[in-house]
Amino acid sequence: MNFQQLRIIREAVQRNFNLTEVANALFTSQSGVSKHILDLENELGIELFVRKGKRLTGLTEPGKELVGIVERMLIDAKNIKRLAEQFANRDEGSLTIATTHTQARYALPGVIQSFRTEYPEVILHMNQGTPLQIAEMAADGSVDFGIATEGSDLFGDLVMMPCYEWNRSVVVPKGHPLIDVKPLTLEAVAAEPIVTYVFGFTGRSKLDDAFIERGLSPHVVFTATDTDVIKTYVRLGLGVGIVAAMSYHPEQDADLVALDASHLFRPSVTYIACRKGAFMRRFMFDFIELFAPHLTRDVVERALACTNRVEREAMFQGLKLPTR
């Protein structure tokens, strides 16, 4: 048994048993992948995969049991490597983050600038995606941290830690009639064509819930994953925009007016998530604290030590989060 065989088992599951994709992901040949699988099955004396002809279609019962062990072994192997790096090169290494456009564009620049000043030898990698994609990357260990507002709660392997609360603004062109509606109401917003986030992005569910609770059916005419794209189409007169309040800049968006909508929608919480059991290097703890100062190393270590999600949520219950 070797680590390449274990990686192949994990990749086969993640890539829906497509051995061509497994081979491409591991920079090897499909025939090599098939041989590794057969060698491992022969060594163990059991079949790990269900087959239809030469094609893999699923896992056998022992295969399902093995996958969980493989995941733990690969995490431990990664942790051993990080442990060595921690003592051999304390301020060197790499940090990989998966996040949404809104976080990358508006919440993270200052954090990353400070982190680079403190750790110039650490290479940063940033992947952008949907909250679901972010959660999947954090869950399978392909990134160190996932930062998002929605989606992470679908994955039990993730340790989720609350970072900050945020709410929304309605952005309109100068001279728009909504500017004179005081106080701003959901009914007035629902009467306008709306430009906002794709469902599943950036707290969109809280927005939808607010309208549903009031029995309103907003006319959403355009959705996007990118806040800057939303503001662009507001400028073109397509509709009024509903965006994260932190994404409005008075100077850069001087041609738009931001109307406070925090009284219309429940606040959303942005989380940073990592996989349970992952080894955390010093600069990883420091990155978390730069992003969310209340998440000190001690707090993060206690969150990682919690045995389940309920215990972890109880730990953070009642915490007053900063607002952005």
Side-chain angles (χ1 to χ4, degrees):
M1 185 184 303
N2 57 58
F3 278 103
Q4 182 70 349
Q5 291 170 333
L6 302 185
R7 294 186 191 99
I8 286 170
I9 298 298
R10 181 179 64 181
E11 287 294 332
V13 175
Q14 291 179 354
R15 299 181 187 280
N16 201 29
F17 310 105
N18 186 319
L19 296 190
T20 300
E21 291 186 8
V22 173
N24 292 337
L26 296 177
F27 304 102
T28 186
S29 65
Q30 185 174 334
S31 61
V33 168
S34 298
K35 185 177 186 305
H36 273 299
I37 290 173
L38 288 173
D39 287 347
L40 181 59
E41 288 182 323
N42 289 333
E43 180 182 346
L44 297 176
I46 54 175
E47 288 192 347
L48 301 174
F49 294 94
V50 178
R51 291 171 170 84
K52 187 174 183 180
K54 294 183 178 180
R55 186 164 59 88
L56 304 186
T57 60
L59 290 168
T60 63
E61 286 304 313
K64 292 175 184 176
E65 293 287 334
L66 181 67
V67 166
I69 299 172
V70 166
E71 288 286 355
R72 293 194 295 272
M73 290 177 69
L74 291 175
I75 289 173
D76 285 342
K78 190 174 183 180
N79 287 345
I80 290 170
K81 184 177 179 181
R82 280 187 170 165
L83 178 65
E85 291 172 345
Q86 171 79 352
F87 290 94
N89 303 295
R90 290 178 179 272
D91 296 336
E92 297 178 12
S94 65
L95 179 63
T96 305
I97 304 158
T99 191
T100 62
H101 166 83
T102 299
Q103 301 295 331
R105 173 70 176 82
Y106 299 105
L108 283 168
V111 174
I112 288 175
Q113 188 174 37
S114 297
F115 182 83
R116 287 287 300 149
T117 300
E118 183 70 20
Y119 294 101
E121 300 303 318
V122 175
I123 302 170
L124 281 165
H125 305 279
M126 184 180 291
N127 300 320
Q128 291 187 44
T130 67
L132 187 59
Q133 290 169 335
I134 292 163
E136 287 176 339
M137 285 186 277
D140 67 22
S142 57
V143 301
D144 298 306
F145 298 134
I147 299 174
T149 300
E150 301 195 24
S152 297
D153 58 321
L154 301 176
F155 296 83
D157 286 338
L158 292 182
V159 176
M160 295 171 54
M161 295 169 283
C163 298
Y164 65 88
E165 283 187 348
W166 60 270
N167 216 307
R168 297 146 189 82
S169 291
V170 175
V171 292
V172 298
K174 286 186 175 180
H176 194 280
L178 275 187
I179 297 172
D180 297 321
V181 178
K182 298 183 180 186
L184 186 65
T185 65
L186 274 177
E187 288 76 9
V189 175
E192 301 286 339
I194 293 173
V195 182
T196 192
Y197 301 107
V198 173
F199 186 80
F201 257 82
T202 318
R204 170 68 190 272
S205 64
K206 295 286 178 69
L207 185 153
D208 293 336
D209 290 345
F211 287 112
I212 291 170
E213 288 170 6
R214 295 293 290 272
L216 299 171
S217 299
H219 182 37
V220 178
V221 298
F222 183 87
T223 63
T225 61
D226 186 322
T227 306
D228 293 328
V229 170
I230 292 171
K231 290 188 287 188
T232 294
Y233 283 90
V234 170
R235 292 183 173 98
L236 293 175
L238 205 64
V240 304
I242 303 179
V243 298
M246 61 182 164
S247 69
Y248 176 82
H249 290 279
E251 293 181 4
Q252 298 174 13
D253 301 317
D255 55 333
L256 298 175
V257 177
L259 309 176
D260 179 35
S262 59
H263 61 294
L264 303 180
F265 307 103
R266 289 194 296 273
S268 292
V269 176
T270 291
Y271 293 86
I272 188 164
C274 63
R275 185 161 182 170
K276 186 172 177 60
F279 180 79
M280 301 276 283
R281 294 189 60 184
R282 184 181 71 174
F283 62 74
M284 298 171 74
F285 285 109
D286 287 350
F287 178 88
I288 294 174
E289 190 169 354
L290 280 170
F291 186 61
H294 60 282
L295 295 178
T296 62
R297 178 168 185 157
D298 176 65
V299 172
V300 172
E301 287 180 335
R302 286 194 288 120
L304 292 170
C306 290
T307 57
N308 55 59
R309 184 183 294 267
V310 173
E311 184 181 337
R312 197 173 303 115
E313 289 176 349
M315 171 184 163
F316 290 111
Q317 191 171 12
L319 177 66
K320 178 63 177 176
L321 293 175
T323 301
R324 293 186 185 177

